[in-house]
């Protein structure tokens, strides 16, 4: 009996270490309702300018339109969080600074706030903490999934379509206050995104690489693709958008 108990204890410990603790989803926007509705956390939004929801995606023409939320969706302060966005840049990259998501204010003092986007040279930036990176924003006109994770004591990672493209030992520290969260525009400047945004999700912890790739390890059944159906649905929606 003692041997069996020891074996079960070791197995449980191994399973816990393998699976880890998943980050909790706190805000989610899939635009399927035709509105900027948060299906998880209740921070809804409104369309500004010519922004529209077409075919279940947020459509932006890059000229004064965006979605404005009624709260701060991205966690502030030095804390663990993740942001995931499906984005499709259309018509080539704008010769300007462009943001997919932002919140904060330039008057707050560094680090001002949070944002994900690209510079005029087509390389990506992730808030004032990473104003310049070697990551090239895709220009193929297709949807891509961008995931940023920030974890205190570990650092910041950025993935595109599940592949790690940027890593730093520095975690982001997002100031509170300023402009509430926006999709498709900077909080202080005319940095408008041109294209489509979809499946914007925000978590209060750092997603693991396996969670980002959609593969979750299970204790007795090998690998189970828990998000396979969801990913097939997203691909179908993109192709029909």
């Amino acid at each position: 009996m003692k041997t069996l108990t020891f074996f079960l204890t070791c197995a449980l410990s191994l399973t816990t270490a393998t699976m880890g603790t998943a980050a909790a989803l706190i805000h989610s926007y899939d635009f399927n309702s035709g509105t900027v509705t948060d299906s998880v956390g209740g921070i809804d939004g409104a369309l500004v300018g010519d922004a529209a929801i077409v075919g279940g995606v947020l459509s932006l023409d890059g000229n004064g339109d965006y979605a404005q939320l009624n709260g701060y969706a991205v966690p502030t302060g030095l804390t663990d969080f993740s942001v995931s966005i499906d984005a499709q840049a259309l018509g080539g990259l704008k010769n300007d600074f462009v943001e997919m998501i932002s919140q904060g204010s330039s008057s707050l003092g560094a680090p001002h706030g949070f944002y994900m986007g690209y510079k005029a040279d087509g390389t990506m930036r992730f808030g004032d903490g990473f104003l310049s990176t070697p990551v090239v924003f895709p220009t193929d006109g297709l949807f891509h999934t961008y995931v940023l994770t920030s974890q205190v004591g570990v650092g910041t990672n950025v993935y595109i379509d599940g592949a790690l493209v940027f890593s730093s030992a520095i975690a982001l520290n997002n100031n509170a206050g300023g402009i509430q969260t926006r999709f498709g525009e900077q909080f202080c400047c005319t940095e408008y995104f041109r294209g489509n945004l979809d499946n914007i999700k925000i978590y209060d912890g750092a997603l693991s690489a396996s969670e980002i790739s959609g593969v979750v390890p299970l204790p007795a059944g090998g690998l189970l693709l828990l998000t396979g159906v969801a990913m097939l649905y997203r691909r179908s929606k993109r192709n029909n958008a």
Side-chain angles (χ1 to χ4, degrees):
M1 181 63 69
K2 290 182 179 179
T3 301
L4 178 59
T5 301
F6 175 76
F7 174 79
L8 291 175
T9 301
C10 290
L12 178 60
S13 298
L14 178 60
T15 298
T16 302
T18 301
M19 294 186 69
T21 301
L25 180 65
I26 56 175
H27 303 290
S28 179
Y29 307 84
D30 61 17
F31 307 107
N32 289 332
S33 66
T35 60
V36 186
T37 299
D38 179 3
S39 61
V40 176
I43 297 182
D44 300 330
L47 301 175
V48 178
D50 294 329
I53 297 176
V54 181
V57 301
L58 176 61
S59 179
L60 307 169
D61 66 11
N63 185 25
D65 50 349
Y66 56 94
Q68 177 67 60
L69 303 189
N70 61 11
Y72 300 97
V74 180
T76 57
L78 188 59
T79 186
D80 300 348
F81 72 96
S82 302
V83 176
S84 176
I85 302 176
D86 289 355
Q88 177 188 33
L90 297 176
L93 297 185
K94 295 178 62 178
N95 186 26
D96 198 354
F97 292 93
V98 170
E99 315 301 343
M100 297 182 288
I101 183 173
S102 76
Q103 68 180 43
S105 171
S106 60
S107 63
L108 291 173
H112 301 314
F114 173 79
Y115 49 88
M116 292 174 62
Y118 66 83
K119 299 162 49 179
D121 64 2
T123 58
M124 297 192 69
R125 59 182 192 158
F126 313 106
D128 286 357
F130 303 105
L131 287 170
S132 180
T133 75
V135 180
V136 177
F137 193 86
T139 59
D140 55 11
L142 302 176
F143 262 103
H144 296 278
T145 299
Y146 303 84
V147 180
L148 179 147
T149 69
S150 183
Q151 187 172 6
V152 179
V154 176
T156 301
N157 290 325
V158 177
Y159 302 78
I160 298 180
D161 297 331
L164 181 65
V165 295
F166 177 81
S167 185
S168 170
I170 301 173
L172 289 173
N173 185 2
N174 302 325
N175 272 336
I179 301 298
Q180 295 172 330
T181 308
R182 287 179 176 176
F183 298 151
E185 200 257 341
Q186 173 63 288
F187 47 72
C188 69
C189 310
T190 57
E191 301 173 1
Y192 300 105
F193 180 81
R194 180 170 58 199
N196 298 312
L197 300 176
D198 197 10
N199 296 309
I200 302 175
K201 299 182 184 298
I202 300 167
Y203 302 79
D204 72 348
L207 292 168
S208 67
S210 61
E211 288 171 321
I212 290 169
S213 67
V215 179
V216 180
L218 295 180
L223 297 180
L224 178 63
L225 300 179
L226 295 180
T227 59
V229 175
M231 292 185 71
L232 287 174
Y233 170 74
R234 284 199 294 180
R235 289 173 183 171
S236 175
K237 185 168 69 170
R238 293 173 187 169
N239 293 335
N240 294 328

